[in-house]
Amino acid sequence: MRTTIFQILKAVLAAVLCSLAFVLVFTVIIQLFTLPATVVKPVNQVFKIIAILVGGLIFIRGDKGLVKGVIHGVASVIITFLIFALISLSFSISWLFLLDLLLGAVAGGISGIIAVNIKKSV
């Protein structure tokens, strides 16, 4: 049980740090190339999915990859949301947040399934 919790916590931390790094780099790119505002949301979704996949693939091991991955994905979305809400000083939850949670759960579940199956075969 303890190792499962630590795996999930490490995966969440990795996903959050990746998200922060991606957003920082993307912010610089937006400033340099003046991209339209319509590009920001889709790119942020892609970054979120990649960050969740990276965290899950690196840290989830053992069995129950789907369960660990879903928990990791949902927790990553919530923590990332809270961090960015604090940074922007605006805390508003809409129905799109529920879609983010679903997307995080799916991405986390997929990464968990892949991670436990890769680790078994190596």
Side-chain angles (χ1 to χ4, degrees):
M1 180 69 163
R2 177 180 262 186
T3 57
T4 299
I5 293 171
F6 282 127
Q7 285 179 15
I8 293 170
L9 288 176
K10 289 189 280 188
V12 169
L13 180 62
V16 169
L17 291 176
C18 283
S19 290
L20 289 171
F22 288 152
V23 168
L24 180 64
V25 169
F26 188 56
T27 301
V28 171
I29 291 171
I30 288 173
Q31 294 297 320
L32 291 175
F33 298 107
T34 58
L35 298 173
T38 57
V39 173
V40 174
K41 290 233 184 236
V43 171
N44 281 338
Q45 291 298 330
V46 170
F47 287 160
K48 195 178 304 182
I49 292 169
I50 293 171
I52 290 170
L53 289 172
V54 166
L57 290 174
I58 293 173
F59 290 109
I60 294 178
R61 295 180 184 87
D63 56 353
K64 299 179 185 171
L66 178 63
V67 174
K68 291 177 188 178
V70 168
I71 293 169
H72 144 67
V74 170
S76 296
V77 169
I78 291 170
I79 292 172
T80 304
F81 173 78
L82 292 173
I83 289 172
F84 287 119
L86 285 172
I87 290 171
S88 67
L89 298 176
S90 68
F91 186 82
S92 63
I93 296 177
S94 69
W95 65 273
L96 291 174
F97 180 67
L98 296 175
L99 290 177
D100 275 349
L101 288 173
L102 180 63
L103 182 70
V106 169
I110 291 170
S111 72
I113 290 169
I114 293 170
V116 298
N117 287 311
I118 287 175
K119 303 297 182 198
K120 285 182 182 177
S121 65
V122 174

